C-alpha cells in the first residue's frame, strides 16, 4: 500500500476551484487531457462519479470508477477509486481539501493506493507512485489553465 499526498496552490478563490472540480464536463475534459481513452462523469445524488477507460498496453483496457462526495460548506471531499474491469486489482481512497491561501486557494489531496497483484504488487505500486506524481503535475497545469 502506498500513501498519496499532494498539495498545490492556485491563484483563484477557493469557491472557483471547488466549482471547477464539481463540474462533470470539466472532469471529462481533465480526464481526456490526462490520456484516458474514454471518460464519462455524472452526478449521482451527492456524488460525482467519473468512469474512465485507459489503455494498459497489455491488450485489455483498464476501467475504473472514481466517486467523489463533496461537502460544499467545508470544501472537503471523500473519494474512492475502484477497478471496474481490466487486468490486476487495485483500489484507492482518500480526501480532498480546498482551503483559502492568501488571495488564492490551496488544494490538498491525501489517500492510499493498494495494488493486489501477487508477486508483482509492490513493483506495480512503485511504478504507480511515479506515474501518479507525473499525472498530478499535468493535472495541476490543466487546472491552472482552466481557472484563468
Amino acid at each position: 500500500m502506498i500513501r498519496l499526498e499532494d498539495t498545490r496552490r492556485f491563484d483563484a478563490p477557493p469557491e472557483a476551484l471547488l466549482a471547477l472540480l464539481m463540474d462533470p464536463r470539466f472532469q471529462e475534459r481533465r480526464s481526456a487531457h490526462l490520456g484516458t481513452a474514454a471518460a464519462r462523469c455524472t452526478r449521482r445524488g451527492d456524488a460525482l462519479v467519473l468512469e474512465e477507460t485507459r489503455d494498459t498496453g497489455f491488450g485489455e483496457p483498464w476501467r475504473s470508477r472514481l466517486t467523489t462526495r463533496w461537502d460544499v460548506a467545508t470544501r472537503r471531499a471523500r473519494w474512492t477509486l475502484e477497478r471496474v474491469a481490466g487486468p490486476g486489482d487495485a483500489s484507492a481512497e482518500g480526501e480532498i481539501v480546498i482551503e483559502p491561501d492568501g488571495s488564492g486557494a490551496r488544494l490538498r489531496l491525501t489517500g492510499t493506493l493498494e495494488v493486489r497483484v501477487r508477486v508483482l504488487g509492490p513493483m506495480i505500486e512503485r511504478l504507480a507512485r511515479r506515474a501518479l506524481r507525473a499525472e498530478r503535475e499535468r493535472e495541476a497545469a490543466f487546472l491552472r489553465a482552466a481557472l484563468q
Side-chain angles (χ1 to χ4, degrees), residues 43-136:
R43 286 193 189 281
R44 295 186 189 162
D46 68 341
L48 203 59
V49 180
L50 176 64
E51 296 180 344
E52 297 178 313
T53 302
R54 293 178 183 258
D55 181 5
T56 62
F58 296 107
E60 188 179 354
W62 167 268
R63 290 186 41 231
S64 63
R65 180 178 301 118
L66 174 65
T67 303
T68 309
R69 295 187 186 283
W70 283 99
D71 178 340
V72 176
T74 63
R75 293 185 302 270
R76 290 179 175 270
R78 294 291 308 160
W79 60 269
T80 58
L81 177 70
E82 58 188 318
R83 178 182 73 84
V84 175
D89 188 15
S91 62
E93 64 181 11
E95 182 179 46
I96 300 169
V97 179
I98 299 172
E99 300 171 311
D101 187 358
S103 62
R106 184 173 53 247
L107 173 70
R108 184 170 40 94
L109 178 139
T110 57
T112 56
L113 168 67
E114 183 176 9
V115 178
R116 293 174 295 279
V117 177
R118 264 202 229 149
V119 182
L120 297 176
M123 180 186 73
I124 294 169
E125 284 179 348
R126 284 191 303 274
L127 293 171
R129 182 189 320 253
R130 278 188 233 135
L132 287 168
R133 279 189 196 128
E135 188 169 280
R136 294 293 296 159

Side-chain angles (χ1 to χ4, degrees), residues 15-36:
E15 296 75 19
L17 184 55
L18 176 64
L20 199 58
L21 292 175
M22 291 180 62
D23 178 357
R25 301 299 70 85
F26 173 77
Q27 290 297 333
E28 291 171 351
R29 290 191 312 274
R30 180 195 62 81
S31 183
H33 176 78
L34 295 174
T36 60

